[in-house]
Amino acid sequence: MFYEPANGHGLPHDPFKAIVAPRPIGWISSLGADGALNLAPYSFFNAFSTHPHLVWFSSEGRKDSATFAGETGEFVANLVTLDLAEKMNASAVDAPRGTSEFDYAGLTAAPSRLVSVPRVAEAHAALECKVTDILEPKGLSGEPAGVHVVVGEVIGVHIDEAFLTDGLFDIARAKTVSRLGYMDYAAVTQTFAMRRPRWQRD
């Protein structure tokens, strides 16, 4: 089949997120200027640079995570693994501002090293970030898409050493969780390696 998104797909549910998958989950902790603490998962999240280390998360609508990151210039991206999947999902509750998603999900807020925003103590890895940009992309019409993309430089990395295998972070052992389409998630249970070809050598 072929369809143009502007004209509808004719399927029971939009397949877009199922096609663009799996996607890392940005489990973002943020702190407002008034000290309010927020924790929420974002399915539009990824890294896009290593020099410097840059990550981004995208908020459809200006939700607390984007607002707080803009106010304080900081956020933490916490890793979601299979053992924390249900707690991650609980932190997505549409609670009123001022409600602690940490408490609601039964999680511990641990101090970060270089930013004022707490991290999820139970997470097996976490990225402390300083905001470098907040972008508002436009569609083809030229109108704002109502999306707030928060870009942060990673200035500190926490790793649970129990998940280091020969010095490598073992995502299959950690069972890192990714977002799929619809209500679906996936956990990494195996990986495989492929050597990148080199023109002169191959």
Side-chain angles (χ1 to χ4, degrees), residues 26-123:
W27 202 10
I28 306 299
S29 50
S30 57
L31 198 62
D34 61 358
L37 179 60
N38 185 258
L39 177 66
Y42 286 83
S43 71
F44 290 129
F45 165 81
N46 219 316
F48 64 92
S49 171
T50 54
H51 301 290
H53 291 346
L54 295 175
V55 297
W56 61 265
F57 70 92
S58 177
S59 175
E60 294 189 297
R62 194 158 184 101
K63 300 174 184 173
D64 284 351
S65 300
T67 299
F68 289 179
E71 289 176 356
T72 64
E74 301 175 339
F75 65 90
V76 178
N78 303 276
L79 183 69
V80 179
T81 47
L82 188 58
D83 57 323
L84 296 173
E86 290 188 8
K87 292 181 182 291
M88 174 277 296
N89 193 47
S91 72
V93 66
D94 56 345
R97 182 172 291 190
T99 301
S100 170
E101 290 87 0
F102 278 90
D103 292 342
Y104 182 82
L107 294 162
T108 308
S112 294
R113 295 284 188 92
L114 303 175
V115 299
S116 59
V117 180
R119 59 190 174 87
V120 175
E122 293 82 358

